[in-house]
Amino acid sequence: MQDRYTGDLGDFSKLGILRALQSAGLSIGVNWYLTPDENHNGDGRHVKYLNQEEYKACDEALWLELKNIVENNHRKACCLESESILKAHFYSERLDFRGKTKAERESIRKAWHNKALSTLTGNNIVCVDPDNGLIVPSAVGRPKENKYVLYDELADYYAQQSSIIYYQHKARKPDDFYLRQHKELICSQVFPDAKGLALKFKTTSQRYYFFIMHPQHQAVIETAIKNMLSTAWNKHFMLFEFGEED
């Protein structure tokens, strides 16, 4: 997450999911995975939805809140941390690797992550929002590693009894690649008894929200998502479920 993205279509989709889960009685924690703003591309400009009725119909209250943020140029992640948007616990410390050596980056990240765990412990759901998604081999140990979530970080949240939602950017790979990656993740030994679910946001820049669910949360999460998809949101999301045969 970067401040310049605040209020864009990605935020609308992500917060729409979290509001549906909150309405089902689940407590929410959010780690923005906030990084310094970059200016080399046009990311964050997907705000035309704020003039389109089809999105307003999905969640009018959320749509109006984000419209106000964008139109008043309050595009900082902290401006989303309002109970009128989402009643949640937030971790907003920036993960900044600029000018740091590899050893310094490792130390910074470890301290940052441990503070996040402490801040978000006790929530039924923890949503992590890195720019790109799961770590890839080419980013390991590199300055851009802060744009990814590490496997061990997800495992630590799960060990604290939180179910997890992580953002995954869709690059030039088919759905099957990301679904298979997620299936392998939830079947690993570090996520005992975990169940999986995925939502693909189909509009504009395609993105996924992958769920790693503790059994005690599974039924509530699945019901909340299916209820959400019985509304105007259904036009914009595709649901993938992971059965025993997958």
Side-chain angles (χ1 to χ4, degrees), residues 73-85:
N73 199 29
H74 294 156
R75 301 193 71 180
K76 293 183 179 295
C78 62
C79 293
L80 300 173
E81 299 177 6
S82 165
E83 287 195 358
S84 60
I85 295 176

Side-chain angles (χ1 to χ4, degrees), residues 121-230:
T121 187
N123 287 291
N124 301 138
I125 306 286
V126 169
C127 175
V128 299
D129 193 29
D131 280 355
N132 292 345
L134 281 174
I135 188 69
V136 295
S138 61
V140 174
R142 309 290 293 182
K144 295 292 186 182
E145 190 182 66
N146 61 347
K147 300 180 74 170
Y148 299 85
V149 61
L150 306 184
Y151 290 89
D152 288 348
E153 292 167 353
L154 295 176
D156 286 343
Y157 286 118
Y158 191 82
Q160 290 191 162
Q161 301 300 305
S162 293
S163 292
I164 304 157
I165 305 171
Y166 65 89
Y167 167 77
Q168 177 64 56
H169 175 70
K170 187 182 188 306
R172 297 176 182 177
K173 293 182 173 66
D175 287 339
D176 284 348
F177 172 86
Y178 297 102
L179 297 173
R180 184 169 59 252
Q181 177 178 257
H182 185 61
K183 177 66 175 179
E184 292 172 355
L185 180 66
I186 62 175
C187 288
S188 66
Q189 294 182 352
V190 296
F191 299 102
D193 303 316
K195 305 298 180 182
L197 182 150
L199 284 171
K200 178 183 177 182
F201 190 66
K202 299 180 290 184
T203 312
T204 313
S205 179
Q206 294 182 353
R207 59 192 66 214
Y208 306 90
Y209 299 98
F210 284 110
F211 292 62
I212 306 173
M213 300 181 288
H214 272 281
Q216 66 265 33
H217 304 139
Q218 181 185 359
V220 179
I221 292 172
E222 290 178 343
T223 298
I225 294 302
K226 288 178 180 178
N227 288 341
M228 176 186 174
L229 296 182
S230 70

Side-chain angles (χ1 to χ4, degrees), residues 95-110 139-146:
L95 187 56
D96 188 352
F97 287 165
R98 291 175 296 183
K100 305 300 182 183
T101 66
K102 182 178 179 181
E104 288 172 333
R105 294 194 300 270
E106 290 174 350
S107 177
I108 288 168
R109 183 157 200 155
K110 183 177 180 179
V140 174
R142 309 290 293 182
K144 295 292 186 182
E145 190 182 66
N146 61 347

